[in-house]
């Protein structure tokens, strides 16, 4: 039993990197691109702090598997990918209160724009 109160806590997984086939242009759908996913998962970790038991928190390996499954499904829009990841995580983990997802596309093919990356971020809560 903890004698302190957790004022705020979340699990963050940063830099999950995938080669995927998201985009509007045909070449994006055939050649693919590099995408980076960052996550912030709001859940009660007070039990895990005391128990040191994986069953009392969110399993990062399962989180990765959920994200990979969604990244493997080609989509035209990053908004769609981001929303699917957020919903899939909330559906998989009943202990999640809120999920924040950011999906970044490296070197988006916008001719003459010189953009290093584009990203979409969203938060979903129960």
């Amino acid at each position: 039993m903890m004698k302190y109160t957790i004022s705020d806590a979340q699990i963050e997984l940063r830099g999950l990197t995938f080669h995927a086939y998201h985009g509007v242009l045909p070449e994006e759908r055939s050649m693919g691109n590099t995408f980076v996913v960052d996550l912030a998962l709001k859940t009660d970790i007070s039990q895990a702090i005391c128990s040191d038991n994986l069953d009392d928190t969110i399993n990062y390996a399962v989180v990765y598997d959920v994200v990979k499954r969604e990244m493997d499904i080609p989509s035209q829009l990053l908004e769609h990918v981001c929303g699917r990841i957020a919903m899939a995580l909330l559906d998989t983990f009943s202990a999640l209160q809120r999920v924040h997802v950011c999906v970044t596309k490296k070197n988006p093919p916008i001719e003459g724009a010189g953009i290093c990356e584009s990203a979409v971020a969203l938060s979903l809560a129960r």
Side-chain angles (χ1 to χ4, degrees):
M1 188 74 156
M2 246 172 53
K3 66 179 184 176
Y4 303 100
T5 301
I6 297 172
S7 63
D8 191 33
Q10 63 186 14
I11 296 168
E12 296 183 13
L13 300 175
R14 301 180 193 137
L16 287 75
T17 304
F18 303 91
H19 187 83
Y21 300 89
H22 308 306
V24 174
L25 301 175
E27 55 270 21
E28 293 180 284
R29 303 291 291 256
S30 64
M31 293 174 41
N33 202 341
T34 300
F35 295 83
V36 178
V37 178
D38 297 303
L39 305 169
L41 310 173
K42 176 79 171 156
T43 188
D44 181 1
I45 63 168
S46 58
Q47 192 76 19
I49 289 171
C50 296
S51 72
D52 195 28
N53 187 330
L54 181 59
D55 292 335
D56 293 329
T57 191
I58 302 293
N59 185 322
Y60 306 169
V62 176
V63 170
Y64 177 84
D65 290 343
V66 169
V67 174
K68 181 177 182 343
R69 181 183 72 226
E70 295 303 324
M71 289 299 292
D72 284 345
I73 302 169
S75 292
Q76 291 189 59
L77 303 177
L78 290 182
E79 292 84 344
H80 189 245
V81 179
C82 201
R84 279 199 340 262
I85 291 169
M87 289 183 280
L89 288 169
L90 286 168
D91 288 345
T92 301
F93 299 101
S94 61
L96 274 180
Q97 301 160 7
R98 185 187 75 236
V99 60
H100 179 82
V101 179
C102 180
V103 178
T104 302
K105 178 191 286 189
K106 298 294 189 174
N107 302 309
I110 302 172
E111 191 171 326
I115 298 173
C116 294
E117 52 189 37
S118 59
V120 171
L122 67 82
S123 295
L124 288 182
R126 291 195 187 281

